[in-house]
């Protein structure tokens, strides 16, 4: 080889090298094809849809409405409570449900992180969708779709903030993506201003998202106009209602609260007048529809439900909350979780005419016969009544499979719209709507009572308000609504006290006079009978109880003292609430402060809000102030 | 010699030149003045390419082309060159070479300093080296293993004993808090990830580790963690040498964790079934205990039944290994080559685990002309690691050592469970049958890697005055990991809602491709003998592309075997209501361009100044922060050449040099997914939503909070070194001291959660590493027939966190194996990896309780009341405080409150040793050689997480405990009755030595933080080489047989398997956790090494 050739080769290399250097900048601008940048994401309708789906994710799973936000956080008042006999530990989920948690509870942290994660995803969508070319200059169809996604993002963000505010109060709030902020740090923000912001957002959103019937593919798994309006009404009532105020350290409400009742009134009336949603004639079917792909909700009473499935984004409904199954041949072991207040049973119509009772309260559990062949049911004690709205047997998950079953969580349904309408109209004393507040209330009642006649409702302001308070307890038990209703009405302290008093009467058994529970039995004798997975009414009425149907048995003093052959199992009823030593009642679940008694650590004007988690305060380095009940 | 000359030119072109010649043979023999034959002497005919090297007899047969006289030039290191005329008539030439006294032999020891080499005497930086000689006695699977304790300042930690286990190499302590701290590996000039773990010791010629940043800064980026330069073996001019070596041996575990015997186990179970975790008596109304283990009165039978040692059943085998290496090397004057085939086959001591590896490599160098040299290097390896081992990055549920330690220690009686191939994971005891689990969970990790490089070296100006050097490297690796989880696995049993209790497999594949191109100009002007100057200018591009694919396929029939499932995925059949998981793929990559220059000036070899600068651009940072410059300077002064030194006439000091350096290097080791801008990734779990029932739609989400200000992490280091030789060079000593500061740490920092993210990559925080390194080597005895040489090194390094993000003083992190609450503390002013937990205080005894207020007469309502002021650990332990329960120390103000809370945790020490090092002794006597190598580490603490788990009944009954619990606090009397009398309890527990196993959470406390100091006899090797006079009668040119024991014995107080175990390695913040580690074994082997 000659040198000249080699020199040419060297020259060639040098040229290649220098060419390479010329395109340095481009060479170093590398982006993996596995990820999308902002332009790629919001420059495409499908990608934008995917990004919005990513916002919905944060509703799901154990730290969303799959468990903590649906089962743990709302428990602890007069519908369902979480109890255990384990020794008190403020860092468990029981402690949250008993108003006794502290900043070290990791569950609080996990939930907060997830909610803010959802807000960030929504913030990104709310910024970049309106900036996108498709939103401003796309085809009509593209514009409409992008608008819809924008509306969904605004609504979801409002829901996340609502959830944060009702649990923690004046939470830090920002409406721009984190990457656009000048600092990662942000202080507490007055809840009234955040509420105003999200109510305004929802106003925008309701004009972006169409009614449910024009987007059938959404079903009620995604946000439609009715849901936006319904949530706006709910948030307006929370904003106009009471909450624990940082400044006064008292429960209080803003002076212009009636304006917010007006918002709720308008939104609910809009929904009612639209005719797009209606009551499901069969109360039980609302909940059955949450359990599988078979729907029993033709009137679309369910306006928005959190759709959950799969391991991570699944719900623990039915698994950790719901009708209890123990080693059953068909469904294995499932259910349990927060149990009904023993007195909740007696809040329902004493004649047993209210169909909601036997859907809401599963006062039986499902077990197996000795041969492991048949599913059987047997009555529970009064403190182990589970929530019957969630049942593994309604899902497609059969067999002994443990874990999660894809049961959805109802966020808002039409009955709530009717009752919010009735409540706000009553508050505003506005009877000019297309239906009267009383008619709205009675629609909900009549659905529950079927052909039976409904009770009489007073029509004066206070009387009607009390009827609403009662009705919402009966209608929404186990749906995560009661605790926050009581807070916004400023009734939480009094209802807890009232429930403790009732529990005391229930447990202590005396005096006979003025004790509504006096006729309830100390024990109930029961036997195992077949569980057919039939209607709630059938399964309750076919329980093997000595003394007849449940309504009769639980309202009668039993004279039986030993178990008859047919009903070999004695379960505790009134006796279950107290601790008896040698037949003498020594204490009851209500004053057992060592363990998790009912609302055992509730302090008025203090524990209505949860503590900010330790990690959250630490990372904020003093920029966020702890709620005063936990300082 | 052959007539054909094969030349392969690689940079961008290949070509072959064939030349033909007429032969004329002359035998040349070269000897020294003492008449010793000289080997490897270079011979060259003037004006031609003809030449070669003498063999071990000092001779070489020269083939002279053409006719007429030829001029032979003879050169040899350390000798004066000679020119001899070979006349036409000569067929034999004898040459006597004269020693060149002016050249110190040491000078020719060259050290690779990156992009070029320098004589050791002119070195100004801090570099540790090992040569093939130091590696030859270590027949181990990877070069990394052989390096432990060999290099001052380089810590080599084997994480566990599994075949192919991770080996962590750190140079001068780790600098980064959350990122990888491993050094940069350069193999023959080309970057190669994790090189030491995949190269076999046989392939390596030398390893040079650049330790001070002034030396590493020529590599700019990623030089922050040190640079390991590996030179593989190349051919030598001379006859073809064929070498074959083979060894075979067995591995055996050296210790085991002692557990309760059957009787003690059952007695403990009796207690567990009858004692509520809150300390009162629990009547076993359903007779569950008796149904499982028998009535109390019959339990004596367990005294006579044989104990089954499950650890022995699973790890006890003598695991054979063998390896064969065949190499061929040689070359003519212009061409050298080296080819090797390497086969390694290891069985793990645990059943169903092993490693197989085959490597073929080829190295070829050709001198195309006097000015142009080209080389090509190819290396292909195929490796398969089998078995899941025992440890997993997940929580305790996924780690399986507990099966082998905790499973009931007997067969027979009720519930016979020997090895049962149909056994499933037992949810009541949270264990699987150990053998069934080990055999039914399968993992195959296969990787193929191809590593090729081409080099071109061209002298633009002759005599190396100006040269151009270009290297192109291409490194391709394919890995596939196939995992099978059978019905014995926790995953199948406990996530049954998604797995339906059926086996599943995970198929993962990944490919990686890295291309490096380096082009350098080297300029060496010649001024005078006194001054030498060497200027290097270069440019480098580096491109990394990786792809990954994974798919989980579920719902195989419960009796499907692993191989059936892998071979026949269509066997999977989801039951109704279930859907298969979606596959996932990902592509990542990074790009880098660098420019660098270095000037080295030496005055008489006495004063040496080096300065270098490198500018790097990385695709991992935004355009504004992409480029960074890393300068450095070094100086060394050979004082022994100074007159004032020679005037002192110090007989004992023959050499003295001081070195000083200062430099900066960078680090960009973060993910490559454009962390500086908002991007979106697709996921069904992080962003999925069930828009219909029974399915999940994946969505897009922003996984990272963009940080447009992200920039290079910088390390600045100062190094001071001194090298000297004593007693006529018999002992050489090298001492280095350094202080490294790392700033703008690329830290995945915790940020306020209202941002929507928990962490963000930021340039925050500072760390410091200070240390001293000492290296000694010398000849202890040199006499006729017997030589003893020894080398010793010792390193002290102190790591300190100087600053954390935003000035926070500390934060806690979790190692994630299973403790309640975080178990590590990251704290300013302290080293990385502090264990964070409670201080043990023995156990509660009767004197801690108030007899008058405690009510113990009614067993089912037993209530114990503590004396005032006695620390109450119940909330932390998750069980009531009664006598015999573990006691913890209250650290805070005991007067106000004696309840122990999370705030009563404290730092319990850390995993960093005060010093570590190695001591190598090599003896030769006649034809025998013996080497003894020990390495040691002192002052490091080890977190024995196994011990927490095996001391706790948390989560399950039916689990065996550590043997020490035979002497636990007793609650039941000899008749199995719950003791209700104060004095009776006192009498029964006079000899109680330990708390009863805990019943609540796993918590970290000081009694499981153990001294991890050790002295390990790493290697003893005895060899015999056949003497020359015998070899001459044989076909061999060399012959050696040897016997070796690796990991012979470890002197340590540590109670677990191995004080070096570290299984929570995902984050550098959680080192030194011995949780479910695969036990380390002793390896005894014999080997043979022959050359032809």
């Amino acid at each position: 080889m000659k040198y000249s050739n080699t020199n040419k080769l060297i020259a060639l290399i040098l040229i290649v090298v220098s060419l390479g250097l010329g395109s340095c900048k481009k060479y170093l601008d590398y982006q993996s094809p596995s990820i999308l940048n902002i332009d790629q994401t919001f420059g495409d309708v499908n990608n934008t849809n995917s990004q919005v789906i990513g916002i919905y994710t944060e509703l799901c799973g154990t730290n969303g409405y799959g468990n903590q936000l649906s089962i743990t956080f709302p428990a602890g008042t007069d519908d369902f409570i979480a109890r255990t006999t384990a020794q008190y530990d403020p860092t468990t989920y029981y402690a949250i449900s008993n108003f006794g948690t502290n900043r070290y509870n990791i569950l609080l942290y996990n939930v907060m992180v997830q909610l803010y994660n959802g807000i960030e995803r929504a913030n990104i969508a709310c910024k970049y969708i309106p900036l996108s070319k498709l939103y401003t200059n796309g085809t009509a169809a593209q514009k409409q779709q992008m608008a819809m996604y924008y509306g969904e993002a605004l609504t979801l963000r409002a829901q996340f903030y609502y959830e944060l505010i009702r649990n923690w109060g004046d939470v830090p709030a920002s409406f721009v993506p984190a990457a656009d902020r000048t600092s990662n740090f942000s202080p507490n923000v007055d809840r009234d201003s955040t509420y105003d912001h999200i109510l305004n957002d929802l106003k925008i959103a309701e004009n972006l998202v169409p009614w449910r019937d024009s987007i059938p593919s959404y079903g009620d798994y995604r946000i439609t106009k009715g849901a936006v309006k319904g949530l706006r009404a709910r948030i307006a009532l929370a904003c106009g209602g009471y909450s624990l105020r940082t400044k006064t350290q008292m429960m209080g409400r803003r002076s212009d609260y009636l304006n917010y009742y007006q918002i709720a009134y308008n939104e609910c009336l809009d929904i009612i007048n639209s005719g797009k949603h209606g009551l499901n004639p069969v109360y039980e079917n609302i909940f059955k529809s949450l359990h599988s792909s078979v729907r029993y909700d033709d009137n679309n009473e369910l306006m928005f439900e959190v759709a959950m499935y799969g391991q991570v984004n699944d719900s623990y409904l039915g698994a950790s909350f719901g009708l209890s199954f123990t080693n059953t041949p068909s469904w294995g072991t499932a259910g349990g979780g927060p149990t009904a207040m023993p007195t909740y049973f007696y809040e329902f119509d004493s004649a047993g005419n209210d169909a909601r009772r036997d859907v809401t309260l599963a006062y039986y559990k499902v077990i197996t016969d000795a041969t492991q062949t048949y599913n059987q049911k047997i009555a529970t004690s009064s403190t182990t009544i589970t929530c019957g709205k969630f049942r593994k047997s309604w899902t497609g998950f059969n067999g002994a499979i443990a874990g999660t079953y894809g049961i959805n969580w109802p966020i808002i349904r039409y009955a709530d719209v009717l009752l919010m309408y009735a409540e706000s109209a009553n508050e505003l004393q506005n009877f000019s709507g297309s239906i009267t507040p009383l008619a709205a209330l009675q629609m909900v009642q009549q659905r529950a009572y079927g052909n039976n006649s409904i009770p009489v409702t007073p029509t004066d302001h206070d009387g009607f308000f009390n009827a609403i308070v009662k009705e919402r307890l009966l209608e929404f038990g186990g749906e995560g609504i009661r605790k926050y209703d009581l807070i916004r009405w400023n009734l939480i302290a009094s209802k807890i006290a009232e429930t403790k008093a009732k529990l005391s009467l229930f447990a202590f058994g005396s005096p006979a006079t003025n004790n509504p529970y006096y006729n309830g039995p100390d024990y109930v004798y029961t036997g195992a009978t077949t569980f057919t997975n039939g209607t709630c009414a059938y399964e309750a009425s076919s329980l093997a109880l000595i003394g007849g149907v449940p309504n009769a048995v639980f309202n009668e003093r039993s004279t039986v003292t030993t178990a008859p052959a047919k009903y070999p199992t004695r379960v505790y009823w009134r006796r279950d609430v107290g601790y008896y030593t040698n037949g003498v009642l020594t204490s009851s679940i209500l004053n057992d402060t060592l363990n998790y008694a009912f609302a055992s650590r509730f302090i008025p004007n203090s524990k209505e809000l949860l503590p900010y988690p330790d990690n959250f305060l630490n990372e904020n380095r003093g920029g966020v102030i702890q709620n005063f009940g936990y300082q | 010699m052959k007539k054909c000359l094969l030349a392969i030119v690689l940079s961008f072109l290949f070509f072959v030149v064939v030349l033909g010649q007429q032969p004329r043979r002359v035998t040349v023999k070269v000897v020294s003045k003492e008449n010793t034959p000289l080997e490897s002497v270079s011979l060259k005919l003037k004006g031609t390419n003809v030449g070669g090297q003498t063999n071990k007899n000092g001779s070489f047969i020269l083939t002279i082309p053409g006719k007429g006289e030829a001029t032979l030039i003879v050169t040899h290191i350390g000798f004066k060159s000679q020119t001899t005329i070979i006349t036409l008539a000569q067929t034999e030439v004898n040459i006597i070479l004269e020693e060149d006294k002016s050249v110190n032999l040491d000078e020719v020891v060259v050290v690779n300093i990156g992009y070029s080499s320098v004589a050791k005497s002119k070195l100004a930086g801090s570099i540790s080296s090992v040569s093939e000689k130091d590696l030859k006695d270590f027949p181990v699977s990877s070069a990394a293993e052989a390096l432990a304790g060999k290099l001052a300042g380089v810590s080599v930690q084997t994480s566990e004993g599994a075949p192919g286990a991770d080996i962590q190499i750190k140079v001068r302590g780790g600098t980064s808090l959350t990122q990888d701290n491993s050094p940069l590996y350069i193999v023959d000039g080309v970057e190669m990830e994790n090189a030491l773990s995949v190269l076999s010791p046989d392939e390596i010629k030398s390893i040079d580790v650049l330790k001070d940043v002034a030396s590493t800064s020529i590599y700019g980026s990623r030089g922050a963690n040190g640079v390991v330069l590996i030179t593989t073996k190349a051919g030598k001019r001379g006859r073809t040498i064929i070498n074959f070596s083979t060894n075979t041996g067995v591995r055996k575990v050296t210790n085991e964790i002692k557990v309760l015997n059957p009787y003690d186990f059952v007695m403990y179970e009796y207690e567990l079934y009858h004692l509520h975790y809150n300390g009162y008596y629990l009547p076993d109304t359903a007779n569950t205990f008796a149904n499982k283990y028998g009535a109390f009165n019959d339990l004596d039978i367990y005294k006579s039944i044989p104990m089954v040692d499950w650890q022995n059943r699973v790890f006890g085998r003598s695991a054979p290994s063998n390896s064969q290496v065949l190499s061929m090397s040689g070359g003519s004057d212009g061409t050298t080559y080296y080819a090797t085939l390497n086969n390694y086959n290891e069985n793990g001591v645990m059943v169903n685990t092993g490693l197989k590896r085959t490597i073929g490599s080829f190295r070829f160098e050709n001198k195309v002309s006097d000015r142009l040299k080209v080389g090509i290097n190819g290396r292909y390896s195929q490796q398969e690691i089998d078995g899941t081992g025992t440890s997993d990055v997940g929580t305790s549920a996924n780690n399986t050592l507990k099966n082998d330690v905790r499973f009931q220690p007997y067969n027979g009686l009720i519930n016979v469970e020997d090895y049962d191939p149909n056994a499933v994971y037992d949810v009541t005891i949270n264990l699987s049958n150990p053998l069934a689990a080990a055999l039914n969970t399968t993992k195959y990790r296969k990787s193929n890697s191809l590593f090729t490089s081409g080099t071109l070296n061209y002298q633009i100006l002759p005599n190396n005055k100006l040269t151009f050097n270009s290297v192109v490297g291409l490194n391709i690796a394919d890995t596939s990991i196939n995992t099978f989880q059978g019905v014995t696995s926790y995953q199948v049993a406990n996530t049954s809602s998604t797995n339906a209790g059926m086996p599943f497999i995970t198929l993962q594949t990944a490919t990686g491709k890295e291309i490096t191109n380096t082009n350098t100009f080297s300029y060496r002007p010649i001024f005078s003998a006194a001054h030498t100057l060497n200027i290097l200018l270069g440019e480098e591009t580096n491109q990394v592309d990786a792809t990954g694919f994974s798919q989980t396929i579920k719902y195989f029939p419960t009796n499907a075997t692993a191989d059936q499932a892998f071979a026949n995925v269509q066997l999977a059949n989801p039951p109704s209501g279930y859907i298969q998981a979606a596959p996932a793929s990902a592509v990542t990559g990074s790009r880098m361009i660098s420019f660098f220059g270095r000037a080295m000036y030496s005055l008489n070899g006495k004063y040496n100044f080096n300065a270098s600068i490198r500018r790097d651009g990385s695709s991992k940072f935004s355009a504004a922060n992409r480029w960074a410059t890393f300068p450095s300077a070094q100086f060394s002064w050979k004082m022994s050449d100074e007159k004032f030194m020679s005037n002192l006439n110090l007989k004992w000091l023959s050499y003295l040099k001081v070195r000083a350096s200062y430099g900066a290097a960078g680090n960009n080791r973060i993910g490559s997914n454009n962390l500086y801008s908002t991007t979106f990734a697709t996921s069904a779990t992080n962003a999925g939503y069930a828009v219909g029932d029974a399915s999940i739609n994946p969505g897009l989400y922003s996984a990272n909070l963009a940080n447009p200000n992200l920039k290079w992490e910088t390390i600045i280091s100062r190094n001071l070194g001194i090298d000297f030789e004593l007693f006529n060079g018999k002992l050489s000593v090298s001492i280095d001291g350094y202080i490294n500061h790392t700033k703008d740490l690329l830290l995945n920092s915790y940020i306020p959660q209202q941002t929507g993210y928990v962490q963000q990559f930021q340039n925050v925080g500072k760390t410091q590493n200070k240390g001293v390194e000492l290296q000694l080597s010398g000849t202890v005895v040199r006499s006729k027939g017997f030589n003893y040489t020894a080398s010793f090194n010792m390193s002290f390094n102190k790591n300190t966190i100087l600053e954390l993000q935003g000035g926070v003083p500390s934060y806690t992190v979790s190692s994630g194996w299973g403790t309640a609450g975080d178990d590590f503390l990251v704290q300013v002013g302290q080293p990385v990896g502090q264990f964070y937990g409670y201080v043990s205080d023995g156990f509660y005894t009767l004197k801690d309780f108030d007899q008058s207020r405690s009510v113990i007469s009614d067993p089912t309502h037993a209530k114990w009341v503590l004396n005032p002021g006695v620390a109450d650990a119940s909330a932390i332990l998750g069980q009531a405080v009664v006598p015999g329960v573990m006691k913890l120390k209250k650290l805070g103000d005991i007067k106000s409150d004696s309840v122990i809370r999370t705030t009563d945790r404290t730092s319990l020490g850390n995993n960093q040793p005060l010093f570590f090092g190695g001591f190598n002794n090599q003896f030769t006597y006649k034809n025998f050689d013996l080497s003894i190598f020990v390495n040691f580490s002192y002052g490091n603490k080890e977190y024995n997480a196994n011990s927490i788990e095996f001391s706790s009944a948390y989560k399950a009954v039916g689990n065996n405990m550590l043997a020490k619990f035979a002497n636990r606090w007793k609650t039941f009397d000899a008749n199995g009755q719950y003791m209700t009398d104060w004095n009776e309890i006192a009498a029964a527990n006079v000899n109680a030595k330990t708390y009863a196993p805990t019943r609540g959470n796993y918590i970290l406390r000081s009694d499981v933080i153990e001294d991890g100091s050790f002295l390990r006899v790493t290697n003893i090797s005895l060899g015999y080489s056949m003497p020359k006079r015998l070899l001459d009668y044989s076909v061999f040119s060399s012959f050696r047989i040897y016997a070796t024991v690796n990991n012979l014995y470890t002197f340590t107080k540590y109670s677990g398997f191995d004080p070096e175990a570290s299984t929570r390695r995902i984050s550098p913040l959680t080192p030194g956790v011995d949780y479910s580690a695969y036990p380390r074994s002793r390896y005894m082997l014999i080997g043979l090494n022959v050359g032809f």
Side-chain angles (χ1 to χ4, degrees), chain B residues 24-297:
Chain B
R24 176 181 145 217
R25 290 166 179 239
V26 175
T27 307
V28 183
K29 178 147 191 188
V30 187
V31 295
S32 69
K33 259 166 71 180
E34 293 83 19
N35 204 21
T36 336
L38 292 173
E39 198 184 345
S40 299
V41 177
S42 293
L43 306 173
K44 197 181 171 204
L45 286 181
K46 197 174 178 183
T48 68
N49 281 337
V50 179
Q53 279 189 317
T54 55
N55 64 12
K56 61 182 194 298
N57 303 320
S59 58
F60 180 72
I61 299 168
L62 196 63
T63 306
I64 302 176
K67 298 195 161 103
E69 280 184 355
T71 311
L72 178 67
I73 303 166
V74 184
T75 47
H76 190 51
I77 292 165
F79 291 82
K80 286 181 177 161
S81 295
Q82 269 192 30
T83 308
T84 308
I85 310 284
I86 305 175
T87 64
L88 201 59
Q90 272 182 300
T91 56
E92 245 185 65
V93 182
N94 287 312
I95 296 164
I96 301 169
L97 279 185
E98 205 179 315
E99 263 185 79
D100 185 354
K101 302 276 194 210
S102 69
V103 182
N104 185 334
L105 264 177
D106 285 341
E107 289 216 24
V108 292
V109 177
V110 292
V111 176
N112 188 347
I113 55 167
Y115 304 108
S116 66
S117 297
V118 70
K120 200 176 177 191
S121 66
K122 289 185 181 173
L123 199 65
S126 177
I127 296 178
S128 293
S129 307
V130 289
S131 66
E132 56 183 310
K133 184 174 79 80
D134 302 309
L135 298 173
K136 79 160 200 285
D137 287 326
F138 285 78
V140 286
S141 68
S142 77
E145 230 176 300
L147 276 189
K150 292 264 169 39
L151 296 159
V154 180
S155 89
V156 178
Q157 197 177 11
T158 304
S159 57
E160 55 179 328
D166 270 8
I167 296 179
Q168 288 187 307
I169 297 186
K170 275 192 286 188
V171 178
R172 292 188 165 175
T175 59
S176 183
L177 292 181
T178 54
Q179 303 304 296
D180 189 6
N181 275 312
S182 55
L184 174 69
Y185 296 97
I186 308 284
V187 180
D188 297 327
V190 179
E191 184 174 336
M192 183 178 181
E193 199 68 46
N194 230 349
L196 286 174
S197 304
V198 288
L199 284 171
S200 107
D202 305 282
E203 296 174 84
I204 293 172
K205 179 159 181 283
S206 66
I207 297 172
D208 299 289
V209 183
L210 312 186
K211 298 187 296 188
D212 64 324
V213 170
S215 300
T216 67
S217 67
I218 192 67
Y219 286 97
S221 60
R222 302 188 54 190
N225 293 320
V227 179
V228 178
L229 301 166
I230 300 165
T231 309
T232 61
K233 284 180 184 166
K236 283 185 198 159
R237 279 178 296 170
R239 71 176 188 92
T240 300
I241 296 169
I242 295 171
N243 234 303
F244 177 71
S245 63
T246 178
N247 62 56
T248 179
V250 287
R251 282 184 168 75
K252 198 93 175 116
V253 285
T254 51
N255 51 0
E256 74 178 28
I257 296 172
K258 297 271 179 296
V259 292
L260 295 176
N261 64 33
Y263 178 73
D264 288 337
F265 167 75
V266 172
M267 290 310 283
Y268 176 67
E269 287 303 308
Y270 179 82
E271 183 176 313
L272 200 56
Y273 275 80
H274 294 87
L275 186 65
H276 189 270
Y277 62 83
N278 280 342
Y280 52 82
Y281 179 70
L282 197 65
D284 183 11
T285 45
N287 265 332
T288 43
F289 176 82
N291 290 343
K292 190 158 185 192
Y293 298 102
F296 186 85
N297 296 336

Side-chain angles (χ1 to χ4, degrees), chain A residues 1 3 6-7 9-10 13-14 17 21 24-25 27-38 41-42 47 50-51 53-54 56-58 60 86-87 104 109 113 116-117 120-121 124 172 178-179 181 184-186 221-222 292-293 304-313 397 401-404 406 408 615-616 619-621 624, chain B residues 11-13 15 277-278 368-372 456 458 468 495-498 519 521 539 542-543 545 577-579 586-589 591-593 595 617-619 626-627 673-674 678-680 684-702 705 750-758 760 762 805-806 808:
Chain A
M1 185 198 241
Y3 286 167
T6 357
N7 285 339
L9 178 65
I10 301 292
I13 293 165
L14 291 176
V17 168
L21 301 184
C24 249
K25 161 121 186 33
Y27 181 74
L28 293 179
D29 278 332
Y30 173 80
Q31 188 198 319
S32 156
S34 298
I35 56 175
L36 301 178
N37 62 29
I38 285 166
T41 304
F42 295 101
N47 287 345
S50 295
Q51 199 272 336
I53 282 191
Y56 280 96
T57 307
E58 303 301 346
C60 309
Q87 201 172 12
Y104 302 108
Y109 174 78
V113 165
Y116 274 117
N117 197 340
E120 165 68 2
R121 293 178 185 192
I124 290 173
R181 301 178 204 164
N184 287 334
F185 296 89
S186 52
Y221 305 133
R222 285 180 70 165
S292 74
S293 48
F304 176 48
E305 67 191 67
V306 178
M308 291 180 270
Y309 185 78
Q311 196 172 1
V312 178
N313 296 314
F397 291 87
I401 292 157
T404 52
N408 297 346
N615 251 330
F616 188 81
E619 289 315 327
N620 273 289
R621 297 177 203 155
V624 170
Chain B
S11 176
F12 307 100
L13 299 168
F15 38 108
Y277 62 83
N278 280 342
V368 180
S369 72
D370 272 353
R371 293 197 169 185
L372 182 65
L456 178 149
Y458 180 69
F468 170 74
T495 51
S496 52
S497 69
T498 48
N519 302 295
F521 288 95
E539 172 273 336
N542 177 273
Q543 174 172 336
D545 288 290
Y578 292 87
I579 47 161
V587 172
T588 54
R591 308 282 182 266
M592 196 155 75
I593 298 178
F595 303 96
S618 164
S619 63
R626 196 161 275 167
W627 291 90
N673 280 351
N674 298 49
T678 301
T679 57
F680 300 89
T685 49
N686 294 320
Y689 186 61
V691 289
D693 272 304
S695 70
I696 279 270
N697 275 21
L700 286 167
Y701 74 109
S702 153
L705 174 52
Y750 289 94
I751 54 171
Q753 295 84 1
Q754 66 263 38
T755 54
Y757 307 87
V758 175
Q760 180 188 34
Q762 297 175 346
Q805 62 262 37
V808 294

Side-chain angles (χ1 to χ4, degrees), chain B residues 651-655 724-733:
Chain B
K651 284 250 162 60
W652 51 273
L653 186 71
S654 49
Y655 178 91
F724 54 93
E725 286 179 9
L726 303 173
F727 319 122
N728 245 337
K730 272 193 171 167
L731 177 65
S732 54
V733 182

